[in-house]
Amino acid sequence: MNQANPKGAGKSSFELINTDILKQMLPVHQGSVILDLACGKGLYSLFLSKLAGPSGLVYAVDLWEEGLQMLEAEALKNEVATIARHQGGCHQGHRYRSPQH
C-alpha cells in the first residue's frame, strides 16, 4: 500500500470556494486562535493566519507529512510565522498550547 498520500489526498476544497464569502461567515478576527485539523497542504491555515493577524495563531495538524512540508515551505515563502504545524491526529491526545495566548 502506498503511504505517500493519505486516502482522499488531492484537490483541496479551498481551491473551489469563494474566500470573500468564507471570510464573512467565519468568526475569526485579529488575535484568534484556530485549529485546522486535517489541514492537508495548509491552504485554509494560510488563509486563516491572515485573518488572525500577527497576534493570532493557527494550529495546523495532519497525518500527511508531505502536506505539512508544503505548508511549511509556503509559510516561509510568505513570511508567515503564526502557524504551528504538527504531524499527528486528534486520536493521539495531544494538548495544544500557545506560549503567547
Side-chain angles (χ1 to χ4, degrees), residues 4-26:
N5 292 328
K7 185 177 180 180
K11 192 166 199 156
S12 169
S13 62
F14 187 83
E15 298 166 308
L16 305 172
I17 63 167
N18 182 324
T19 56
D20 291 330
I21 293 172
L22 180 62
K23 189 186 318 183
Q24 292 172 1
M25 295 178 69
L26 291 176

Side-chain angles (χ1 to χ4, degrees), residues 25-94:
M25 295 178 69
L26 291 176
V28 176
H29 51 81
Q30 294 287 309
S32 289
V33 177
I34 303 150
L35 173 62
D36 185 0
L37 190 57
C39 67
K41 58 186 176 181
L43 297 178
Y44 283 99
S45 295
L46 291 162
F47 173 76
L48 293 167
S49 70
K50 291 177 187 172
L51 297 180
S55 61
L57 183 65
V58 176
Y59 289 101
V61 181
D62 204 295
L63 296 170
W64 185 33
E65 182 179 357
E66 185 179 317
L68 290 168
Q69 290 170 351
M70 286 186 242
L71 169 56
E72 182 175 6
E74 198 64 28
L76 286 171
K77 180 175 123 182
N78 292 297
E79 299 180 356
V80 176
T82 56
I83 300 176
R85 293 165 304 284
H86 178 78
Q87 184 178 3
C90 60
H91 66 283
Q92 294 171 314
H94 295 289

